[in-house]
Amino acid sequence: MTGKAPLRIVFLGPPGAGKGTQAVLTSGKAGIPHISTGEMMRAAVQSGSDLGARVKQFLDRGELVPDDLMIEVIRDRLSRSDCRGGFLLDGFPRTVVQAQALDGLLSEMRMPLSHVISLDVPEDILLERIRKRGESSGRSDDSVEVASRRLKVYWELTAPVSEFYRGSKRLCALDGLGSVEDVQKRISGALGI
Ligand code: AMP
């Protein structure tokens, strides 16, 4: 088989950066599964599963689900056969502990990351976007208060994940401002797709 090397991508970016939208477009274009841990968590809560019961309180408060639980969830998901040809992670890793665990897991599975993409957007614009999203969507974690907490959690726990990847020279930081199409072009260019 010839074919290109699998794209194994991590998407990083603060809440409100448009990460979810870009992740859907990019995974569709690349033909790889879009793995959104936020969506997985919301689905678990809705289905009333055991996992859902364990994570609900964290989602409702805009706090992070504990690392060990998230790492187990992602280990299961990446073991599925649809990830063999690549994957796009959206919302994981969210802490440096998760990033280290992901490196360990992927090296065990012999499928290291090919790209780490961060979407950078200034904080005042993020707050504005979060407010608007809170008004228009019914997401329980999208009230302005919870959204502000999510942003705070981001700066405290998730921003260091970018530094973790910058330190190992794997980070590709892109400007997240502009239209959906503009940002998508930047991402496609960085991935060569
Ligand atoms: P998201 O849609 O990615 O913003 O995720 C929604 C919520 O799911 C977050 O506020 C967390 O409570 C939880 N969550 C999603 N991904 C993670 C993760 N990698 N680590 C911890 N909690 C997470």
Side-chain angles (χ1 to χ4, degrees):
M1 212 174 86
T2 51
K4 288 190 178 166
L7 291 170
R8 303 191 194 97
I9 308 166
V10 161
F11 258 35
L12 299 173
K19 182 167 58 72
T21 305
Q22 295 298 339
V24 169
L25 292 171
T26 306
S27 59
K29 194 163 178 186
I32 53 179
H34 169 218
I35 302 176
S36 158
T37 46
E39 268 171 28
M40 289 168 79
M41 294 299 103
R42 283 189 289 278
V45 170
Q46 290 218 319
S47 74
S49 66
D50 249 21
L51 175 65
R54 288 165 76 191
V55 302
K56 185 177 185 316
Q57 50 172 332
F58 300 104
L59 265 78
D60 285 347
R61 290 195 211 124
E63 289 169 9
L64 292 186
V65 170
D67 286 332
D68 51 354
L69 194 52
M70 282 312 306
I71 291 163
E72 270 323 297
V73 166
I74 215 74
R75 178 194 293 277
D76 278 3
R77 183 64 189 87
L78 291 175
S79 308
R80 280 168 45 185
S81 59
D82 64 338
C83 292
R84 279 192 213 132
F87 54 79
L88 189 158
L89 289 178
D90 166 14
F92 187 97
R94 280 282 234 287
T95 64
V96 171
V97 168
Q98 292 179 14
Q100 288 166 336
L102 181 65
D103 269 357
L105 184 61
L106 293 179
S107 95
E108 235 173 69
M109 298 171 94
R110 296 186 196 289
M111 38 189 226
L113 293 174
S114 62
H115 297 83
V116 178
I117 299 226
S118 78
L119 291 182
D120 298 340
V121 175
E123 189 169 6
D124 50 338
I125 294 181
L126 293 172
L127 280 167
E128 188 52 34
R129 285 189 188 172
I130 285 173
R131 262 189 218 111
K132 281 198 194 138
R133 209 201 282 184
E135 284 161 15
S136 62
S137 91
R139 253 171 72 172
S140 70
D141 62 346
D142 257 338
S143 71
V144 171
E145 191 195 324
V146 173
S148 310
R149 180 158 333 132
R150 292 172 71 222
L151 204 53
K152 188 164 169 276
V153 167
Y154 172 81
W155 293 117
E156 270 176 31
L157 297 172
T158 309
V161 173
S162 299
E163 295 314 310
F164 172 80
Y165 288 117
R166 199 190 304 280
S168 57
K169 299 198 173 14
R170 287 177 289 175
L171 188 72
C172 176
L174 300 178
D175 180 1
L177 285 180
S179 68
V180 169
E181 293 75 22
D182 286 345
V183 177
Q184 183 57 37
K185 272 187 206 146
R186 282 174 215 143
I187 294 170
S188 298
L191 296 174
I193 58 174

